[in-house]
Amino acid sequence: MAAASPPPPSSPPDRHDSSSSYSGRWEYDVFLCFRGGDTRHGFTSHLMAALSDKKIKAFIDTMLRKTESIDELLSVLQRSTLSIVIFSEKFADSPWCLDEVATIVQSIEIFGHRALPVFYKVGWSDVAGDSGRYSAIIDEELKASSEDSKRWKDALKAVANRAGRTSSAIPIESELIKAIVEDVQKQLIDMSPIIKSENLVGMGSRILEVEQLLAMDEPDDIRIIGIWGMGGLGKTTLAKACYERIVSSTKDIKHHFIRNINQICENQHGIDGIVHELYSKVLSERNLSHEDLDVHYIRACLSRSKVFLVLDNVETPRQLEQLLLDDVFNLTRLFAAGSRIIVTTRNKKVLQNARAKMYGIKGLNDDESMQLFSSRAFKQQHPPYVWMRLSRLAISYCKGHPLAIRVLGSALFDEDENYWESFLSGLRLIRNPEIGVIFRKSYDQMGHDEQRVFLDVACFHHGTSRSIVIRYLETLYPTALANVKDLIDKSLLTCVSKEDGEKIEVHDLLKEMAWSIVNEEPKLGKRSRLVDPDDIYKLLATTKVESWTTCYIYSFLKGIGMMVRPRRKRRKVIDMDEKDKCPLEGLRTTEGISLDLSKAKEMRLEANAFKGMDSLTFLKIWGLSEALGKKIHLPYDGLDSLPDGLRWLQWDGYPSKSLPSGIYPQHLVRLIIRRSPIKSCWEGYCQPKLANLMLLDLSYCSNLTAIPDLSGSLQIEELRLLKCKSLVEVPSPVQHLDKLITLDLGYCISLEGLPSKLSSKVLKHVRINNCPKVKHCPDINSEELMELNLDETPIRELPSAVYNVKEGGRL
């Protein structure tokens, strides 16, 4: 019986959308296309059973009622994720089978359907060759019309040319079926919403291999799986994909993912906070304190808990031991059977010491590299034919490195052939091309402002809120918003969604490139950005630190009114190369300084330490509380001035009673002075206008008695005064801050006076907890309120705002 023609396809999508997946819900994982008389009761039935064993939902034509036509069969095909086409000796005898293949090709083009060819006792030339067996059957036995003949032959070639399996290569049938099922699993993972939404090319096979190591279906043991490899290969991405797949399909397991542990340890100087977060989440104990971690209660709870943890970017064996409460060699004491832990690291010894099952992540193969490159350079799965030669040349430089491929593809997007030739010839001239060359060439192609934005973010703002970064940069560069977006599009920056909003992140390799660029600047005093504590010491410190006894005596004598004039120390002359001296005037080009006090030497600054640094816009001095006030010493009268161009001023433990009176901070966007003996930001009646200020954070300044005049600071979004124990009043201008989002006055034990109302309609977080002298809560005019904390206050009457707290908020 002649087969009906397949239904006409809908209009094909635009070429930029050709890689998109079917927008509806797939009904079947696999559609089996085969010749019933050849393989139904043998190979196909065994394959169907193997798919079923792996919980893969497959469709076979026996599921159709006898009264249903091929149109219904083709409709089912279009509701399936993937087709397995079993080419056998008599496959081409059936117009029905040939129509199925034609519809499979249409589904590939329109819906992102996939096909896996299996050559069962036939070869490629039999199926797709112009003079092969199938071609002869179509022309001589079926006597097909020219239209049908061309449609069928084109479809056979299109499917046969895809990666598949042959019985000649794997002659043992059980092994062939096993290989086909694994291929299907990889393809289905690649087609899953998690992978498709992130455009994670080539991830299916890697996820399958890691999941096989995890062996979640073996509940009697506890396993650590290590994902190991160089930066940029996708260790974190792979771990995240495995985590999301397993968490979404497993209900009886406690789980948590901690990203970039080594980075957090470097920034927060210790692992205690990570351990606290990890086990608070695992045990669902929000109020778990650090001290509670060692008690028997916690271990008893954990021993009954089946957990799935991902510990990302663990750098040392000791870090892993601390994360696992020193039970890394005896996890059965810590977790219940069936628990699994994934660790990602560049350091193989971390995994060897833990006796982990290791997965060494490799680069992408040529096909995967081409697909990823094409998704960036052409916004489609495969390059147009005329661009294939240049595309192959491009990916040859990346050596399968996903980050390099993304950066290179983004750099070449929408450029003409002459630009491609020029760009790639620059890479070709490098005798031994390395991945970093591609990053550097992309940087060299940027405009001046875009380069400066990239260096600012890479050097100072990794992990910072996207909105904060953009608002800060917009005070320096008018095109900052467009620059950040372009850098994200080029894969030089990454935007990551987290619980507290979008964060800008920079890959370690790109951060290393940024610092190498800065270090190429000729003189220390003329380097645009500084983060090395030794470099900062050379620039700012006096020649030597005076005797601290002398300093204390001087401070005491001056404090009781005696006239004392200490001998001034000359600023240290910076010796860069024993020939070139860089005096104070050479500091004018420094734009940003970030000093980690835990790594800094003890130093004494002169009153004019920042004189001449007219280009300085970013100054961040930060560290652990025990390092504050002990590393940097100022003269009794403090600093003479700070640069007027500062946009970002953070100085934790600032060792003076007020900021310099000679500063005019009209450009300040963020002012953070925490754990400082400061009494007021500025002394005297002349208070500067902070028109651009968005954040004021004076938390833990226990001597603070007054906050700056905020009457002109209408851009403020956050006002943080946590544990300012001497603060008596929050002045009334705060009520007019109509962009205020967060007001934190917790533990201000002397606080009495508050504004009568808070007018901001975008206010989300109000904390007036543990303020024993506050008797009235301001009226709140916000419909966005998420948190109102009045714990441990004598307030008896709640504001009407409590009825406006949004769903999910807390009182």
Side-chain angles (χ1 to χ4, degrees):
M1 186 175 75
S5 298
S10 57
S11 299
D14 181 80
R15 73 179 186 93
H16 293 305
D17 296 326
S18 63
S19 62
S20 62
S21 60
Y22 175 52
S23 59
R25 182 181 297 276
W26 299 111
E27 185 176 343
Y28 296 97
D29 295 320
V30 171
F31 178 91
L32 284 172
C33 175
F34 63 99
R35 180 72 166 99
D38 259 3
T39 65
R40 182 184 302 279
H41 301 298
F43 181 80
T44 299
S45 64
H46 297 152
L47 176 59
M48 184 73 180
L51 292 170
S52 179
D53 288 343
K54 293 295 184 181
K55 311 300 182 187
I56 296 171
K57 188 177 181 182
F59 177 88
I60 192 168
D61 60 7
T62 54
M63 296 178 180
L64 282 178
R65 294 191 300 271
K66 291 183 178 180
T67 57
E68 290 175 317
S69 68
I70 189 173
D71 290 345
E72 178 60 25
L73 186 66
L74 298 179
S75 174
V76 172
L77 188 156
Q78 292 176 344
R79 301 197 303 275
S80 303
T81 308
L82 177 147
S83 290
I84 298 176
V85 183
I86 303 172
F87 293 124
S88 58
E89 293 179 350
K90 297 181 180 180
F91 184 92
D93 291 352
S94 168
W96 183 302
C97 291
L98 296 173
D99 277 337
E100 285 183 15
V101 175
T103 304
I104 287 168
V105 172
Q106 291 173 351
S107 297
I108 291 170
E109 295 172 351
I110 297 171
F111 303 126
H113 186 81
R114 295 196 180 189
L116 174 67
V118 176
F119 299 91
Y120 184 71
K121 298 182 179 180
V122 294
W124 181 92
S125 59
D126 293 323
V127 175
D130 290 334
S131 57
R133 183 187 306 176
Y134 282 22
S135 178
I137 292 173
I138 291 171
D139 293 336
E140 297 171 11
E141 296 184 22
L142 297 182
K143 301 187 183 302
S145 66
S146 59
E147 181 181 346
D148 283 343
S149 176
K150 184 178 187 310
R151 179 166 60 88
W152 287 338
K153 290 179 182 179
D154 288 347
L156 289 169
K157 286 181 181 179
V159 173
N161 284 333
R162 304 179 79 85
R165 295 289 179 174
T166 66
S167 60
S168 59
I170 310 177
I172 299 175
E173 195 164 289
S174 61
E175 294 296 323
L176 175 61
I177 288 173
K178 181 181 177 182
I180 293 169
V181 172
E182 286 189 0
D183 288 343
V184 169
Q185 288 177 300
K186 295 171 188 176
Q187 296 266 24
L188 292 177
I189 292 171
D190 278 337
M191 294 289 283
S192 69
I194 293 171
I195 306 303
K196 293 293 288 184
S197 64
E198 300 291 337
N199 194 25
L200 303 180
V201 174
M203 196 58 68
S205 60
R206 292 159 177 80
I207 292 174
L208 181 60
E209 288 162 355
V210 172
E211 289 183 350
Q212 288 172 343
L213 290 175
L214 286 168
M216 298 299 292
D217 56 346
E218 296 181 16
D220 297 330
D221 64 349
I222 300 174
R223 295 190 180 193
I224 298 182
I225 306 302
I227 302 177
W228 166 73
M230 70 174 288
L233 286 180
K235 298 185 297 295
T236 301
T237 302
L238 175 57
K240 181 183 177 185
C242 291
Y243 175 81
E244 291 183 353
R245 276 175 51 82
I246 290 172
V247 166
S248 65
S249 61
T250 308
K251 296 181 180 179
D252 63 336
I253 195 165
K254 297 176 184 280
H255 53 85
H256 194 45
F257 186 118
I258 300 186
R259 187 183 176 106
N260 211 340
I261 287 169
N262 192 56
Q263 181 76 32
I264 297 173
C265 287
E266 288 182 355
N267 290 345
Q268 299 180 2
H269 315 292
I271 207 163
D272 288 347
I274 304 175
V275 174
H276 173 254
E277 175 193 343
L278 173 61
Y279 294 111
S280 294
K281 293 278 189 179
V282 168
L283 297 176
S284 302
E285 293 278 358
R286 292 186 177 180
N287 299 318
L288 190 64
S289 68
H290 292 275
E291 292 76 13
D292 289 334
L293 286 172
D294 294 326
V295 301
H296 296 297
Y297 166 74
I298 299 300
R299 289 184 174 274
C301 290
L302 288 175
S303 67
R304 297 190 296 269
S305 300
K306 181 180 174 183
V307 303
F308 179 44
L309 307 178
V310 176
L311 308 177
D312 174 51
N313 192 19
V314 179
E315 185 67 20
T316 67
R318 182 56 187 155
Q319 284 179 353
L320 184 58
E321 289 171 13
Q322 290 174 287
L323 287 164
L324 299 178
L325 302 183
D326 289 319
D327 275 332
V328 68
F329 303 117
N330 192 4
L331 292 176
T332 56
R333 290 180 52 194
L334 191 60
F335 303 119
S339 295
R340 298 291 187 267
I341 301 162
I342 294 179
V343 178
T344 75
T345 183
R346 296 187 189 185
N347 184 356
K348 200 172 186 179
K349 288 185 177 179
V350 172
L351 307 176
Q352 290 172 333
N353 285 11
R355 297 195 291 268
K357 294 181 181 295
M358 274 190 280
Y359 179 77
I361 190 168
K362 298 181 178 64
L364 302 178
N365 62 34
D366 288 346
D367 289 340
E368 294 164 342
S369 296
M370 186 64 77
Q371 186 180 342
L372 178 58
F373 175 79
S374 182
S375 72
R376 295 306 176 112
F378 303 105
K379 309 304 178 188
Q380 60 188 46
Q381 277 194 333
H382 304 287
Y385 178 77
V386 294
W387 289 91
M388 189 61 73
R389 179 186 66 85
L390 286 173
S391 297
R392 288 197 182 101
L393 179 62
I395 66 170
S396 70
Y397 294 109
C398 299
K399 304 186 186 306
H401 193 283
L403 179 59
I405 293 169
R406 288 196 294 269
V407 170
L408 184 56
S410 298
L412 295 173
F413 170 65
D414 213 22
E415 300 291 352
D416 61 26
E417 187 175 354
N418 291 332
Y419 182 90
W420 277 53
E421 293 278 9
S422 174
F423 192 99
L424 295 175
S425 67
L427 298 179
R428 192 183 301 117
L429 292 175
I430 306 298
R431 184 170 297 175
N432 294 306
E434 296 180 358
I435 303 304
V437 174
I438 294 167
F439 300 154
R440 183 57 189 261
K441 192 156 183 68
S442 294
Y443 172 83
D444 292 338
Q445 298 291 322
M446 299 178 195
H448 178 66
D449 280 0
E450 192 174 14
Q451 286 181 338
R452 295 176 71 189
V453 166
F454 171 74
L455 291 179
D456 276 342
V457 177
C459 294
F460 298 132
H461 299 296
H462 169 78
T464 304
S465 162
R466 175 176 178 165
S467 61
I468 290 172
V469 171
I470 289 174
R471 288 176 183 177
Y472 162 71
L473 293 173
E474 282 178 332
T475 67
L476 300 171
Y477 319 107
T479 58
L481 177 62
N483 293 149
V484 170
K485 183 180 183 300
D486 289 343
L487 289 168
I488 292 172
D489 291 343
K490 294 174 182 177
S491 297
L492 295 169
L493 302 179
T494 304
C495 190
V496 179
S497 295
K498 299 194 175 181
E499 291 181 1
D500 54 347
E502 291 185 320
K503 306 290 185 182
I504 295 288
E505 295 190 352
V506 189
H507 194 277
D508 289 349
L509 293 176
L510 294 169
K511 283 191 285 185
E512 290 171 11
M513 181 191 75
W515 283 117
S516 70
I517 291 170
V518 170
N519 289 333
E520 289 171 6
E521 296 167 356
K523 295 181 180 179
L524 176 60
K526 291 185 178 293
R527 285 197 192 140
S528 58
R529 295 155 184 86
L530 295 176
V531 71
D532 184 85
D534 290 336
D535 290 345
I536 296 169
Y537 179 86
K538 292 175 184 177
L539 283 176
L540 298 180
T542 53
T543 304
K544 65 177 181 178
V545 179
E546 295 181 13
S547 162
W548 301 130
T549 303
T550 303
C551 295
Y552 295 145
I553 292 173
Y554 165 70
S555 298
F556 172 74
L557 293 177
K558 183 155 186 178
I560 61 176
M562 294 186 66
M563 296 295 293
V564 182
R565 184 180 296 277
R567 180 170 60 87
R568 283 280 188 184
K569 295 286 181 183
R570 288 192 311 158
R571 171 175 291 278
K572 181 179 179 180
V573 175
I574 301 164
D575 191 353
M576 294 301 298
D577 56 9
E578 300 300 326
K579 297 177 181 179
D580 188 16
K581 304 295 182 182
C582 179
L584 177 62
E585 294 86 303
L587 304 182
R588 296 181 184 275
T589 57
T590 304
E591 300 173 21
I593 295 175
S594 179
L595 177 61
D596 180 350
L597 289 173
S598 70
K599 300 177 182 177
K601 299 177 182 177
E602 193 169 5
M603 68 178 85
R604 178 173 175 79
L605 305 187
E606 292 284 9
N608 64 347
F610 291 94
K611 182 179 178 181
M613 301 183 73
D614 299 338
S615 299
L616 193 68
T617 60
F618 181 91
L619 178 60
K620 181 178 179 181
I621 299 175
W622 55 284
L624 274 179
S625 57
E626 53 263 29
L628 304 180
K630 298 179 181 179
K631 292 296 184 74
I632 297 181
H633 303 270
L634 303 180
Y636 180 82
D637 289 335
L639 297 171
D640 289 342
S641 66
L642 285 167
D644 292 342
L646 280 174
R647 269 74 168 174
W648 188 305
L649 174 55
Q650 176 175 344
W651 194 326
D652 293 339
Y654 175 72
S656 190
K657 296 179 180 179
S658 69
L659 291 170
S661 58
I663 180 176
Y664 299 93
Q666 65 270 28
H667 300 297
L668 270 181
V669 175
R670 294 174 73 79
L671 176 57
I672 304 169
I673 306 289
R674 296 180 296 211
R675 301 186 187 277
S676 165
I678 196 169
K679 290 186 176 181
S680 63
C681 287
W682 286 274
E683 292 182 340
Y685 296 102
C686 188
Q687 294 282 323
K689 297 297 182 183
L690 304 171
N692 294 301
L693 195 66
M694 294 180 181
L695 166 68
L696 177 63
D697 188 348
L698 302 172
S699 298
Y700 300 96
C701 293
S702 57
N703 297 332
L704 187 76
T705 58
I707 66 173
D709 178 11
L710 300 178
S711 58
S713 306
L714 300 182
Q715 301 299 316
I716 280 197
E717 297 179 354
E718 298 180 63
L719 180 57
R720 298 181 180 274
L721 302 168
L722 177 66
K723 291 195 175 182
C724 293
K725 297 180 180 180
S726 300
L727 186 66
V728 175
E729 180 185 21
V730 174
S732 59
V734 170
Q735 69 180 307
H736 302 300
L737 303 178
D738 57 7
K739 294 184 180 179
L740 190 66
I741 296 173
T742 298
L743 175 64
D744 192 348
L745 302 170
Y747 295 89
C748 292
I749 58 177
S750 301
L751 185 65
E752 297 182 17
L754 288 175
S756 59
K757 64 178 180 179
L758 297 171
S759 300
S760 172
K761 294 185 178 180
V762 293
L763 192 62
K764 291 184 178 180
H765 307 282
V766 179
R767 305 181 190 109
I768 316 177
N769 55 297
N770 298 85
C771 297
K773 296 184 178 181
V774 174
K775 298 180 179 179
H776 301 286
C777 181
D779 287 334
I780 298 173
N781 192 33
S782 173
E783 296 181 357
E784 299 293 321
L785 194 64
M786 292 291 295
E787 178 185 7
L788 177 60
N789 191 343
L790 305 175
D791 290 349
E792 301 298 326
T793 66
I795 296 173
R796 293 294 175 262
E797 183 176 349
L798 294 176
S800 59
V802 298
Y803 303 108
N804 296 329
V805 174
K806 299 190 77 173
E807 184 177 351
R810 66 182 281 264
L811 289 173

